Amino acid sequence: MTNDDKIKKWLAGELSDSERQEFESSADFAATKRLLEAVENFKAPEYDIEGEYSRLTKRVLSSKKTISLHERIAPLFKVAAVVILGLAIGYFFFNYFETFSNSRNWISEQTELYLPDSSFVSLNADSRIRYSGKKWKRERNVELQGEAFFRVNEGAQFRVHTEQGSVTVLGTEFTVKNWEDYYQVTCYSGLVKVTAQKKSVVLQPNTTFRIVQGKTETFSFSDQKEPDWLQEESSFRSVPIKFVINELKRQYKVSVETSDVDVEQLFTGSFSHEDLETALKTITFPANLTYEMNENKIVITVEGK
């Protein structure tokens, strides 16, 4: 019989006298007896339910606090402030980028670009344009300083404004040159209406209108689809050589001075944009001129002087 069985029988009074005497004299019984005495002496503390409820109620009521109107709406003000700040920042960035993308900043320096209606523009050296993206659907207006080639898609009236005149088209290909004392419009296809010096003229394809130092003329040229400068060459027809020199300066970004040169003598010809020395020779040789180069400074003189 195991000890556990003896304990169970002892507790139930099922042991014989000899078995009970043997078990009560063992060490296991002594441990069992101490455990029984501890259990009999254990008493759970009395719990006053009503008293504890009363004390809890008093603590809850005493901790209640009157919340003022300011304290109630203060969190709402904080939330509103965050929302307003977020809207303000969003509004700022929206308007900033909207203004930037539609601003009338000048676009310059031999840039090829497409306008909002996919019309194509190519700018010559030292030229620039600007337009309003916001107003483009209502009015296709471009401001030009310098020289540009336009390939305009059909649509609403398209205008190119310069200080010396304006050009109006519906859909065509043309160039506008607008330099000091030199205004020129060339039509390659379609029809172009030019208004300058209080006069209007309609250009047919392969026709040029120009005003050079106040002198107005219109002339035709052989079949040509685009200006020579798109092929890295500048061409001239009976213009004072000073305008040729100015174009050389724009294309090569060099300083050019003349000494004893008649800058009003007429020049017909062209020069390349790819080599400065070759360009200088093609300009000076036909006009009996010569030149000297010192880095980016060029001096043109009359040959033999």
Side-chain angles (χ1 to χ4, degrees):
M1 182 184 298
T2 63
N3 289 333
D4 289 342
D5 292 336
K6 289 179 180 180
I7 293 171
K8 290 178 181 178
K9 287 187 174 185
W10 182 83
L11 291 172
E14 296 177 353
L15 292 176
S16 63
D17 291 340
S18 59
E19 289 175 338
R20 181 177 56 78
Q21 290 177 1
E22 181 185 355
F23 175 67
E24 289 180 351
S25 61
S26 68
D28 291 332
F29 175 76
T32 303
K33 187 176 180 181
R34 287 194 297 271
L35 177 62
L36 291 173
E37 290 174 351
V39 171
E40 289 177 355
N41 293 328
F42 176 78
K43 182 179 180 181
E46 295 183 357
Y47 187 78
D48 186 358
I49 297 176
E50 293 184 359
E52 287 300 322
Y53 176 77
S54 176
R55 286 192 291 274
L56 177 62
T57 304
K58 288 180 180 180
R59 283 200 300 271
V60 171
L61 293 176
S62 63
S63 63
K64 271 192 173 182
K65 180 181 177 182
T66 302
I67 301 176
S68 66
L69 178 62
H70 173 74
E71 291 175 308
R72 291 183 181 183
I73 67 174
L76 297 178
F77 276 121
K78 291 179 180 178
V79 173
V82 172
V83 172
I84 293 172
L85 179 61
L87 291 174
I89 293 173
Y91 179 81
F92 168 78
F93 279 103
F94 173 80
N95 281 277
Y96 173 79
F97 288 112
E98 181 74 8
T99 300
F100 178 80
S101 62
N102 293 290
S103 66
R104 295 174 62 83
N105 294 328
W106 289 101
I107 304 170
S108 61
E109 287 305 312
Q110 283 184 289
T111 301
E112 291 187 347
L113 67 147
Y114 288 90
L115 299 173
D117 63 345
S118 296
S119 293
F120 173 77
V121 182
S122 181
L123 298 176
N124 203 349
D126 201 26
S127 301
R128 56 184 186 170
I129 67 167
R130 65 180 178 181
Y131 61 91
S132 172
K134 284 185 175 180
K135 298 180 180 179
W136 190 259
K137 289 184 178 180
R138 300 193 303 273
E139 49 183 36
R140 300 193 295 176
N141 289 336
V142 172
E143 294 179 71
L144 170 67
Q145 291 183 357
E147 184 172 9
F149 169 72
F150 296 86
R151 185 181 294 120
V152 178
N153 291 332
E154 292 185 358
Q157 201 169 62
F158 186 102
R159 292 187 180 89
V160 180
H161 300 279
T162 70
E163 292 181 355
Q164 300 184 69
S166 64
V167 177
T168 304
V169 301
L170 293 177
T172 184
E173 296 179 350
F174 61 99
T175 57
V176 180
K177 185 194 298 283
N178 180 61
W179 299 117
E180 184 178 359
D181 293 329
Y182 195 145
Y183 180 69
Q184 178 174 301
V185 179
T186 299
C187 176
Y188 298 99
S189 69
L191 296 176
V192 175
K193 180 181 178 181
V194 184
T195 302
Q197 292 189 346
K198 299 181 180 181
K199 298 179 181 179
S200 294
V201 58
V202 176
L203 300 182
Q204 302 285 340
N206 301 321
T207 307
T208 295
F209 169 84
R210 74 181 183 189
I211 305 172
V212 179
Q213 297 183 148
K215 182 181 177 181
T216 302
E217 61 178 323
T218 303
F219 58 86
S220 300
F221 55 91
S222 59
D223 188 27
Q224 188 175 348
K225 299 299 182 183
E226 60 185 19
D228 290 334
W229 52 265
L230 288 179
Q231 304 301 323
E232 303 299 327
E233 187 173 273
S234 292
S235 299
F236 304 88
R237 173 173 170 168
S238 299
V239 298
I241 199 170
K242 66 180 182 181
F243 294 111
V244 181
I245 293 173
N246 287 340
E247 186 65 23
L248 180 80
K249 291 161 63 175
R250 279 190 290 267
Q251 295 296 337
Y252 287 97
K253 301 187 184 305
V254 293
S255 173
V256 181
E257 296 180 1
T258 60
S259 177
D260 298 324
V261 175
D262 178 11
V263 294
E264 297 297 330
Q265 61 179 305
L266 300 181
F267 177 91
T268 297
S270 61
F271 69 80
S272 171
H273 300 172
E274 297 178 343
D275 183 81
L276 178 57
E277 288 250 23
T278 301
L280 282 167
K281 290 176 181 177
T282 57
I283 294 172
T284 58
F285 181 75
N288 294 319
L289 302 174
T290 188
Y291 66 90
E292 290 184 2
M293 292 182 59
N294 183 10
E295 295 181 352
N296 286 336
K297 183 178 181 180
I298 300 167
V299 178
I300 298 177
T301 61
V302 178
E303 191 171 4
K305 285 190 178 182

